[in-house]
Amino acid sequence: MASVPIIPDSYNHVLAEFECLDPLLSALRLDSSRLKCTCIAVSKRWLALGSSGGGLNLIQKDGWKQRLFLAHKEGAISRVACCLHDEDYVAVATSQGLVVVWELNQERRGKPERIYVSSEHKGRKVTALCWDRAALRVFVGDHVGKVSAIKINTSKQGKAAATFVMFPVQIITTVDSRVVQLDYLDGRLLISSLTRTYLCDTEREKFWKIGNKERDGEFGACFFPVGKNGGNQQPLIYCARPGSRMWEVNFDGEVQSTHQFKQLLSSPPLPVVTLRLDPHYTSSSCSPQSLSFPKLLYLTEHCVMTWTERGIYIFLPQNVQVLLWSEVKDIQDIAVYKNELFCLHTNGKVVHLSLLLVDRCIERLIRRGFWTLAARVCCLFQNSIISCRARKNLPLDKLEHLKSQLDASTQQDVITQLEELISKLEPLDSACSSRRSSISSHESFSVLDSGIYRVISRRGSQSDEDSCSLHSQTFSEDERLKEFPAHQEDEQVELDNVSHASVTVEADRNETFLPFSIPLSFRSPSPLVSLQAVKESFVRKTTEKIGTLHISPDTRGRQEAKDDEQLQELTVNLVASPQEEKELEPQSCQLPEEDHLRDLKAATAEAIAKLQDPLVLLEPRCMRRVLQEWLIYLEEKFGSRERSDSSIKKSKTVCTEKERAVLEESLRLDPTDGDPADKEQSSILEDCAEKENTDETCVSEAVYENSTDLKGPLDCCFQVSPPCVIEQDVHKDLVELTTLCFELRVFSCGNGKAEESSDGSLPLAASWTLACRFMRTYFFLLDLKRLKQCIITMYATSPHVWETYIAGLKELTCHSPAALAMENEDMLKILKQLHDLGPWDDSPLLLVHAQRLYEKFGETALRPLIKFHPSILPSDIKQLCRNDPAHFLAYLDSLVKSKPEDKRSFLLRSLLQPESVRLDWLCLAVSHDAPQRANTVDPEGNPRPRSHLFTWGYSQLILLLIKLPADFVTKEKMADICKSHGFWPGYLFLCLELDRRIEAFTNIAHLDDLSLLNGEDGSMPETTEEWKFLLHLAQNHSTAFHHRGPQNGNAVSNGSPSCPDCITVENVALLLAKAIGPNRALPLLQECGLTLELSERFSSVCEILRIAEKRQRALIQSMLERCDRFLWSQQA
């Protein structure tokens, strides 16, 4: 029987669907092609479903019994919102932009009635509705950025008030783009638009912009109220940012920190428990997800929920953790109430999900008689079920009863897995009593991402994974039992009592702030006393294990034979769970290769245990020292077979004078000028002398002798497969540590000695030489994805390292079908074959096939590779064609143009990782397929007339790059680049962005194009001084100016009637008269002394403008008089 992947114990929550709402939609006739559900809202009592036919269906959640139908003739329902503090009120927005507020009159058993209809947003698309959480007030946002408030006067306040008082619509503000989401809490209104988030104090009418950096796209924001135990703490605000990030903002609108979830989302998705499909889980990690969160919704007491086109994501933002994410496709909108999620899909279907603890979910499935599904969930989440907390709800007898309900003839595989789970369980009293043992009796500890210390018992007892934090360890048993309330009914089960300590994140996720996969704690909620107690015990145990590194090999062998059971428990992954340790039993028969790796396995387990120590984890030098000690054992087993045992023993000595001389000579031969290592050459020898009497390793002579010989890193063969059989768990640990050595530049010196080069103590040539040799020797033990990223970021100036990496991939794939097809097939057949072999995700193997294509077909092979994005990124293509940047530019331009225009900016922004590549790409774009500089810039450095009309091959890419949000310094650098190359459209845009308006007007005058002032992309002068400055610029340009130099458009004489778009005094004066009126323009022209240069055409146009202005005033006066008469008549 094939083994079923088991979900790690760090996940103890799941999304579950217990009832299908399809029959409800059929009863409401919302499942037809003509009529479907368009929007959704939920409260404690109601589920509101808006339809495309203009009807609003209100279904009572208790048994789905009562139903109200509210009809609207104003069009389809686009938005609906239920008032949470008074469920007798519902707000509805229609497709015509009308907002209707209904009073349901359920308390008086009356008919629902309209109590307010707002036409403030008529003709616009209402994109957000939000109720005030204390008063009867509705906030409305539309697609142009307008936000209004509707104050409701109801019949509950008395008939007189309802009859004579009708509050007008209050305009809150108008933001710069479409309103994406609204939220309200304690007098503050949160407005999230396409570019930024705003915080409004509706009582004092104050507004704040949250943060300085803008964004481009749909990004949500929500309030995060304090929990029941929050005391006087103010609520928080969370704002979505590009790249799976969130801003944490205080209640005053100040950004406190940025939380990155991209690496944490590399874990596989959790299955949704549903009767439609059997739950399935894949243990292989996926690539980090760079997502845009279109909305953020507060869920229960600690969670924030969002969704994308791929799935649902639930975060614990205060702890920077991912509670779970599950694949749910084609979601249009989600409404939440406490732990309930109602998902509206794009096809009009509605799915009801509940966020529950795993044991609660299984218990509910058992109670409803879904035996098979309950058993499969037990098998998937057995790590969580074994914990004491889960077993309070799922005791042994309940699991035995579940097994007895399964059909032995058709479900034997499920029964077998369930029996294995039951066999791992011990009586509850024994499991709980094991937690009373002292902390010092445990073998080791591990630190999770959340800062929680996990205690791993060598006695095989099961620790309570849901209450293993330092805080819970200080409680007595009675106090601990009080944390977990007794079982409640299905309808009353909520997640309000979830504690941060009960939720952990899988520890093998990549840490955001470090380039390697070691878990780093964020915020430990534990008391200082408990932390100190565990720290002392942990340091004592770790010190005892470190001492085993310094004993003789014979003594170590005897010690390993004596503690064989302990080694079996220590040879686990960084996040090994207690039940996984229990499965590792001593084997009586082992292969000779496994016996051969005994020392390496012991050293690996010891290194992993040391790396979990916070004192080591937070000190890079200590981490390198641990890796150096471990690398000696790896070199002894898997290093080059040409080295003798004597050389390995000799490598364990300290530096000699001869080696110091070789080091000094190598430093003198280092060809890199300006490298930071050159500045420290004088101190390197002193550092080596200080290390002579310590256990620090040194650089051997063999490294530097070979560094000069290794001219081509492709000459030596690669070790692409293991030389002997390695257990899967051991191989996983070896890959983790070996990749970590490469990321921290801890390399073998070639004689069994380990050396670190990250502190600048090695010259550049020696550093990349060691890196190339390390890759060739241990290619089969390296994580190829992390290896590629490390080379791109850390060895950007060392092309030999990238060539070695590609050579290793070529040797690894030399017998693959795609590689064999490269010799005979044409490019289209090869591309089709690569596409059929997918999906590739972000596998580096696709990259080596792209390298082969580029080497054979050149630039023509790059453009078709855009279909493999994001498996192949622009950073990869830049490495492939680093000798010909024009090829990379053509690929980047094709990739951007392959997307719709409204999505190009978002795509390009996601590719700018890091931000510094923006300037590099801009320099490439303005220097390739561009007009000659002499045609765009005159000898004085000013623009030539009409030179902005020249055609630039990559003008669209350039404009996208400069229009993306950026800081002030970056915009200045981009402006300098555009000016130096003569790309004047971009330069003018950046001048206006940087508020250098005088400079912009000066260049517009040189370009001699009035449309730059009058067009959609132009900018009109805003002050009298700017108009005067522009008029003097036009006066200083003579008629000959418009004929001088090469032209890229039509140039005619100054002042000619056939020249309406030239910068002349008369044209600028006419523009001035249209902007401020002829009566105000003439005095300004007289003040500048320019009235004599104006023709009769100017006087005629001014007269026409006066007549139009007079008629417009008369029309406005007439309208005001009618309004006044109407208001007086209403008052009478």
Side-chain angles (χ1 to χ4, degrees):
M1 182 187 66
S3 60
V4 178
I6 300 176
I7 296 175
D9 59 342
S10 56
Y11 296 104
N12 50 15
H13 288 77
V14 70
L15 289 174
E17 180 187 14
F18 296 104
E19 50 193 356
C20 180
L21 297 183
D22 291 346
L24 175 64
L25 296 180
S26 299
L28 299 176
R29 302 182 182 275
L30 292 178
D31 57 348
S32 64
S33 58
R34 184 183 63 86
L35 199 64
K36 70 174 186 177
C37 186
T38 57
C39 57
I40 190 169
V42 66
S43 64
K44 182 179 181 180
R45 181 181 184 183
W46 299 109
L47 172 64
L49 301 176
S51 69
S52 56
L56 177 66
N57 297 275
L58 289 172
I59 300 97
Q60 190 170 347
K61 290 166 56 181
D62 186 10
W64 313 107
K65 299 175 183 177
Q66 183 181 1
R67 181 173 77 91
L68 295 176
F69 182 79
L70 308 179
H72 302 80
K73 299 180 181 180
E74 296 85 359
I77 307 299
S78 59
R79 292 285 167 185
V80 59
C82 298
C83 182
L84 298 181
H85 63 86
D86 191 341
E87 294 188 289
D88 213 26
Y89 300 94
V90 178
V92 175
T94 68
S95 58
Q96 296 180 6
L98 297 180
V99 178
V100 182
V101 181
W102 288 83
E103 185 176 1
L104 304 180
N105 292 321
Q106 290 296 294
E107 297 178 359
R108 296 176 295 176
R109 299 182 180 273
K111 292 184 179 180
E113 59 179 339
R114 296 187 179 196
I115 59 174
Y116 204 108
V117 179
S118 170
S119 59
E120 184 65 36
H121 301 269
K122 187 175 182 179
R124 300 174 180 176
K125 181 180 180 182
V126 175
T127 57
L129 287 178
C130 174
W131 279 90
D132 189 327
R133 300 194 182 188
L136 290 178
R137 182 168 52 167
V138 183
F139 298 98
V140 187
D142 60 27
H143 77 284
V144 299
K146 189 175 185 179
V147 180
S148 65
I150 303 173
K151 188 175 181 181
I152 308 301
N153 183 39
T154 72
S155 58
K156 295 181 181 180
Q157 300 172 353
K159 292 186 177 180
T163 304
F164 295 104
V165 179
M166 183 69 84
F167 297 106
V169 175
Q170 177 187 4
I171 305 301
I172 301 294
T173 185
T174 300
V175 296
D176 54 358
S177 58
R178 179 164 63 92
V179 176
V180 176
Q181 187 176 0
L182 296 175
D183 199 6
Y184 184 86
L185 180 66
D186 295 344
R188 303 282 173 97
L189 177 65
L190 193 63
I191 305 173
S192 181
S193 70
L194 293 176
T195 58
R196 60 171 66 248
T197 304
Y198 303 85
L199 182 63
C200 308
D201 188 332
T202 57
E203 297 176 358
R204 296 183 294 174
E205 298 184 356
K206 291 187 177 182
F207 302 88
W208 299 271
K209 292 181 180 179
I210 296 180
N212 297 321
K213 295 184 179 179
E214 294 186 351
R215 63 202 184 191
D216 185 14
E218 292 191 1
F219 296 91
C222 71
F223 286 107
F224 194 86
V226 295
K228 298 178 181 178
N229 301 323
N232 296 326
Q233 182 182 357
Q234 280 193 327
L236 296 174
I237 301 170
Y238 286 100
C239 305
R241 298 292 300 166
S244 301
R245 293 177 295 164
M246 285 187 199
W247 273 346
E248 182 176 298
V249 185
N250 63 18
F251 207 52
D252 295 326
E254 300 172 351
V255 178
Q256 303 296 307
S257 59
T258 301
H259 300 326
Q260 173 64 266
F261 295 97
K262 179 179 179 181
Q263 298 295 338
L264 296 179
L265 291 175
S266 62
S267 60
L270 292 188
V272 177
V273 178
T274 174
L275 301 176
R276 306 170 192 262
L277 297 171
D278 287 337
H280 177 71
Y281 177 75
T282 303
S283 58
S284 59
S285 299
C286 57
S287 59
Q289 302 183 56
S290 180
L291 305 174
S292 301
F293 303 141
K295 284 186 180 180
L296 296 181
L297 300 177
Y298 174 71
L299 184 67
T300 74
E301 191 175 345
H302 305 289
C303 306
V304 169
M305 191 275 303
T306 186
W307 72 91
T308 65
E309 59 184 8
R310 182 176 181 182
I312 297 175
Y313 305 82
I314 301 177
F315 303 101
L316 296 174
Q318 288 181 303
N319 285 14
V320 197
Q321 295 176 355
V322 179
L323 182 66
L324 63 84
W325 81 273
S326 299
E327 283 190 344
V328 183
K329 303 289 187 180
D330 302 325
I331 296 178
Q332 176 180 330
D333 197 5
I334 294 181
V336 300
Y337 180 76
K338 294 191 176 180
N339 69 318
E340 292 183 299
L341 290 77
F342 291 86
C343 307
L344 173 62
H345 292 261
T346 52
N347 58 2
K349 299 294 183 181
V350 178
V351 177
H352 179 201
L353 301 177
S354 299
L355 177 64
L356 297 172
L357 289 166
V358 173
D359 54 329
R360 297 284 191 187
C361 175
I362 297 173
E363 185 186 22
R364 190 178 291 189
L365 290 173
I366 293 175
R367 194 182 316 139
R368 299 190 180 204
F370 302 137
W371 310 110
T372 304
L373 183 58
R376 293 190 182 277
V377 176
C378 283
C379 297
L380 282 176
F381 288 91
Q382 56 182 274
N383 289 337
S384 298
I385 294 174
I386 291 175
S387 66
C388 289
R389 175 174 181 176
R391 291 177 47 206
K392 290 178 176 65
N393 296 318
L394 293 175
L396 275 173
D397 56 349
K398 188 170 289 189
L399 293 178
E400 291 285 357
H401 176 68
L402 172 61
K403 187 184 73 171
S404 65
Q405 299 296 324
L406 301 177
D407 188 354
S409 60
T410 60
Q411 299 172 328
Q412 186 59 43
D413 57 337
V414 181
I415 294 176
T416 304
Q417 297 172 26
L418 198 57
E419 289 177 345
E420 294 178 359
L421 170 61
I422 295 174
S423 66
K424 297 177 184 179
L425 300 179
E426 61 182 10
L428 185 59
D429 295 339
S430 173
C432 290
S433 63
S434 65
R435 298 190 308 168
R436 300 191 186 100
S437 60
S438 62
I439 295 177
S440 60
S441 65
H442 293 81
E443 180 64 31
S444 61
F445 300 88
S446 63
V447 186
L448 304 182
D449 281 355
S450 60
I452 297 171
Y453 282 68
R454 180 199 295 163
V455 183
I456 302 176
S457 173
R458 67 176 180 178
R459 296 185 179 87
S461 63
Q462 302 298 332
S463 62
D464 187 352
E465 291 298 320
D466 285 289
S467 59
C468 65
S469 68
L470 300 183
H471 183 67
S472 62
Q473 288 174 2
T474 62
F475 287 171
S476 65
E477 185 64 18
D478 294 336
E479 291 173 332
R480 201 153 38 234
L481 292 176
K482 290 178 182 177
E483 290 182 349
F484 311 118
H487 168 68
Q488 302 175 1
E489 292 299 322
D490 288 354
E491 292 75 17
Q492 298 176 353
V493 174
E494 300 173 357
L495 293 181
D496 293 340
N497 58 348
V498 176
S499 66
H500 291 303
S502 67
V503 184
T504 56
V505 177
E506 187 176 0
D508 61 353
R509 294 175 183 162
N510 291 340
E511 169 56 34
T512 306
F513 306 105
L514 297 176
F516 41 83
S517 299
I518 286 294
L520 181 63
S521 59
F522 289 94
R523 307 172 185 171
S524 175
S526 310
L528 182 59
V529 177
S530 300
L531 179 60
Q532 185 66 24
V534 174
K535 175 183 174 184
E536 293 174 359
S537 176
F538 182 67
V539 171
R540 182 174 67 255
K541 292 297 178 181
T542 306
T543 305
E544 295 173 3
K545 296 184 180 304
I546 294 175
T548 61
L549 283 176
H550 306 292
I551 61 179
S552 62
D554 296 336
T555 308
R556 182 181 292 111
R558 291 194 298 269
Q559 183 69 20
E560 290 167 354
K562 184 183 300 182
D563 298 333
D564 183 73
E565 181 183 356
Q566 297 182 19
L567 290 179
Q568 291 292 337
E569 292 181 0
L570 284 172
T571 311
V572 293
N573 194 13
L574 282 170
V575 290
S577 58
Q579 55 268 29
E580 290 172 346
E581 292 181 19
K582 190 174 180 180
E583 294 174 356
L584 292 173
E585 300 177 354
Q587 300 179 3
S588 57
C589 262
Q590 290 184 339
L591 297 175
E593 289 81 3
E594 294 175 341
D595 293 332
H596 176 67
L597 298 179
R598 178 179 295 275
D599 292 345
L600 179 59
K601 290 161 68 175
T604 301
E606 196 164 6
I608 289 176
K610 290 180 181 180
L611 290 176
Q612 294 178 19
D613 183 357
L615 302 178
V616 176
L617 191 64
L618 300 178
E619 181 57 47
R621 183 171 295 276
C622 295
M623 294 179 63
R624 294 189 186 100
R625 186 179 298 112
V626 172
L627 293 174
Q628 288 167 4
E629 296 171 352
W630 172 81
L631 190 56
I632 294 175
Y633 293 91
L634 184 69
E635 176 77 10
E636 184 177 346
K637 299 301 179 184
F638 297 126
S640 176
R641 294 292 182 262
E642 298 175 358
R643 304 183 188 108
S644 61
D645 294 339
S646 60
S647 64
I648 295 176
K649 294 179 180 178
K650 183 180 178 181
S651 68
K652 297 181 180 179
T653 60
V654 296
C655 289
T656 62
E657 294 296 331
K658 185 176 181 180
E659 289 170 332
R660 292 178 60 192
V662 174
L663 175 61
E664 184 177 4
E665 180 182 356
S666 177
L667 290 175
R668 288 197 302 268
L669 296 177
D670 185 15
T672 59
D673 296 332
D675 192 272
D678 296 336
K679 302 177 182 179
E680 301 180 3
Q681 291 180 4
S682 59
S683 61
I684 291 176
L685 295 180
E686 298 177 3
D687 294 338
C688 186
E690 293 175 359
K691 295 179 181 178
E692 285 182 355
N693 297 324
T694 65
D695 59 348
E696 292 288 335
T697 57
C698 64
V699 183
S700 66
E701 179 181 355
V703 176
Y704 297 101
E705 290 175 352
N706 295 335
S707 65
T708 56
D709 298 336
L710 190 61
K711 300 301 181 183
L714 313 178
D715 299 337
C716 301
C717 60
F718 286 80
Q719 187 71 41
V720 296
S721 59
C724 62
V725 178
I726 305 176
E727 297 176 6
Q728 183 177 0
D729 292 339
V730 177
H731 184 268
K732 185 176 181 180
D733 294 340
L734 292 176
V735 169
E736 178 68 29
L737 293 179
T738 308
T739 307
L740 191 56
C741 285
F742 190 89
E743 291 171 334
L744 291 178
R745 301 188 183 185
V746 179
F747 301 130
S748 170
C749 293
N751 61 354
K753 195 92 169 161
E755 174 64 26
E756 56 151 316
S757 63
S758 62
D759 58 351
S761 60
L762 287 181
L764 182 61
S767 177
W768 68 256
T769 301
L770 291 173
C772 294
R773 178 182 288 118
F774 191 87
M775 278 193 289
R776 288 196 306 272
T777 306
Y778 305 112
F779 200 77
F780 68 100
L781 290 178
L782 289 169
D783 187 327
L784 299 181
K785 297 179 184 179
R786 288 166 54 188
L787 183 64
K788 181 191 75 171
Q789 190 61 32
C790 179
I791 294 173
I792 291 176
T793 56
M794 300 175 62
Y795 293 95
T797 59
S798 302
H800 297 289
V801 181
W802 177 264
E803 293 171 3
T804 304
Y805 174 69
I806 293 297
L809 292 177
K810 286 183 177 179
E811 187 163 343
L812 183 64
T813 60
C814 60
H815 300 295
S816 65
L820 297 177
M822 292 286 179
E823 301 178 0
N824 303 320
E825 302 292 344
D826 59 9
M827 186 176 67
L828 295 179
K829 291 183 178 180
I830 296 172
L831 290 171
K832 185 178 183 301
Q833 186 175 11
L834 290 177
H835 185 270
D836 295 339
L837 291 174
W840 292 93
D841 295 331
D842 56 347
S843 172
L845 301 183
L846 178 61
L847 179 62
V848 72
H849 296 316
Q851 174 75 31
R852 291 190 176 102
L853 279 171
Y854 179 65
E855 292 174 353
K856 183 173 183 180
F857 300 104
E859 182 186 1
T860 56
L862 292 181
R863 296 182 185 269
L865 292 179
I866 62 176
K867 67 174 64 176
F868 294 102
H869 179 269
S871 299
I872 295 182
L873 298 173
S875 58
D876 303 329
I877 301 297
K878 198 171 189 303
Q879 289 288 337
L880 296 185
C881 49
R882 59 184 177 276
N883 297 326
D884 198 339
H887 294 175
F888 162 73
L889 199 60
Y891 166 82
L892 181 63
D893 188 60
S894 301
L895 177 62
V896 173
K897 290 181 178 179
S898 66
K899 300 294 182 181
E901 290 188 8
D902 57 336
K903 296 184 179 179
R904 291 177 182 176
S905 297
F906 177 76
L907 170 66
L908 190 59
R909 189 171 184 180
S910 66
L911 299 177
L912 295 177
Q913 301 292 339
E915 276 284 336
S916 57
V917 301
R918 183 205 299 251
L919 298 178
D920 299 336
W921 293 1
L922 181 61
C923 290
L924 285 176
V926 297
S927 57
H928 289 82
D929 196 7
Q932 297 183 3
R933 189 175 186 277
N935 293 336
T936 58
V937 183
D938 62 16
E940 291 79 16
N942 297 319
R944 290 189 180 276
R946 305 302 175 98
S947 60
H948 64 289
L949 301 177
F950 276 111
T951 301
W952 294 69
Y954 299 104
S955 59
Q956 294 185 23
L957 179 61
I958 298 172
L959 290 174
L960 284 174
L961 284 171
I962 65 177
K963 289 183 179 181
L964 287 177
D967 55 73
F968 185 82
V969 176
T970 303
K971 288 182 179 180
E972 283 189 328
K973 293 179 179 179
M974 290 193 296
D976 295 338
I977 294 173
C978 292
K979 183 177 182 180
S980 62
H981 290 82
F983 185 72
W984 302 117
Y987 180 67
L988 293 177
F989 174 83
L990 290 169
C991 283
L992 297 175
E993 286 279 305
L994 296 170
D995 203 22
R996 288 151 52 171
R997 301 179 60 84
I998 298 300
E999 189 174 348
F1001 294 143
T1002 303
N1003 285 275
I1004 289 174
H1006 284 289
L1007 292 170
D1008 194 27
D1009 190 351
L1010 194 66
S1011 63
L1012 296 175
L1013 292 171
N1014 202 23
E1016 295 180 357
D1017 298 331
S1019 177
M1020 294 282 288
E1022 297 177 351
T1023 63
T1024 304
E1025 288 72 17
E1026 290 182 356
W1027 280 110
K1028 290 181 179 179
F1029 178 77
L1030 187 60
L1031 288 168
H1032 285 299
L1033 285 176
Q1035 185 181 20
N1036 294 333
H1037 283 72
S1038 61
T1039 305
F1041 174 80
H1042 301 285
H1043 296 281
R1044 190 183 305 132
Q1047 303 289 332
N1048 192 40
N1050 297 325
V1052 292
S1053 60
N1054 185 21
S1056 172
S1058 60
C1059 160
D1061 56 347
C1062 295
I1063 301 294
T1064 64
V1065 174
E1066 183 167 318
N1067 288 340
V1068 175
L1070 286 173
L1071 191 62
L1072 173 63
K1074 294 177 183 178
I1076 66 175
N1079 294 331
R1080 296 177 58 191
L1082 285 176
L1084 183 60
L1085 293 172
Q1086 293 174 357
E1087 182 181 349
C1088 297
L1090 300 176
T1091 54
L1092 299 177
E1093 300 185 19
L1094 303 177
S1095 63
E1096 295 182 358
R1097 173 172 170 265
F1098 175 79
S1099 302
S1100 302
V1101 172
C1102 287
E1103 189 64 28
I1104 295 174
L1105 290 176
R1106 288 190 185 96
I1107 296 174
E1109 184 178 355
K1110 186 175 181 179
R1111 290 185 176 181
Q1112 187 177 13
R1113 288 180 179 177
L1115 179 61
I1116 294 174
Q1117 181 67 25
S1118 174
M1119 294 176 62
L1120 289 175
E1121 290 176 355
R1122 291 182 181 181
C1123 291
D1124 185 62
R1125 288 195 298 269
F1126 174 77
L1127 292 175
W1128 279 108
S1129 64
Q1130 293 295 316
Q1131 185 176 6

